[in-house]
Amino acid sequence: MSWLTKNLLGLPAYLWLAALAAVVVTIISVAGHWQDRTIQIAQESGAIVAVNQGHETTLDQLGAANEAGNHIRNNTGHARYCECLLSATDATTSHCERYRPDELVPGGPDHPGEYCPGQ
């Protein structure tokens, strides 16, 4: 153990060992912090990707809903009349007559057929 008391560059060897141990502990601490931070950044990035995918899905659904609404508003076929009947109560179904198309429905004048599926 006499080597612990030898001087290296004017300092005893045990001080050099203590300094080396402090450097090793510092490196391990910094590496651990770097690893924790890297994991946190990866988790945040994954959350951002998930949120962006959710936004894309929402925008796609909104686009489909707008197209359906435009289809009804443009009065193509019987869609506007059917939509009115779906949202009307028994007392207000007569308000939907203004949307009833004037065109003939397959089935003839005696039996006009179904305007709306399930009606």
Side-chain angles (χ1 to χ4, degrees):
M1 291 279 242
S2 64
W3 61 273
L4 285 176
T5 58
K6 288 186 180 180
N7 287 339
L8 296 169
L9 300 174
L11 291 175
Y14 67 89
L15 287 179
W16 283 103
L17 285 175
L20 179 65
V23 168
V24 169
V25 167
T26 302
I27 290 173
I28 291 172
S29 175
V30 167
H33 176 71
W34 175 80
Q35 180 185 14
D36 292 343
R37 182 66 184 135
T38 302
I39 290 171
Q40 181 183 4
I41 289 171
Q43 289 171 340
E44 289 170 359
S45 296
I48 289 171
V49 168
V51 167
N52 286 341
Q53 288 173 345
H55 288 174
E56 285 181 27
T57 301
T58 301
L59 290 175
D60 290 342
Q61 291 171 343
L62 281 173
N66 284 336
E67 287 176 20
N70 288 338
H71 179 73
I72 291 170
R73 277 188 294 282
N74 291 337
N75 202 17
T76 51
H78 306 289
R80 199 170 197 184
Y81 177 70
C82 294
E83 178 65 25
C84 182
L85 286 179
L86 286 173
S87 59
T89 63
D90 290 336
T92 61
T93 54
S94 62
H95 298 275
C96 298
E97 290 302 315
R98 62 186 168 164
Y99 299 123
R100 183 185 285 263
D102 292 333
E103 63 193 52
L104 293 175
V105 180
D110 294 332
H111 185 273
E114 279 188 342
Y115 278 109
C116 305
Q119 293 271 321

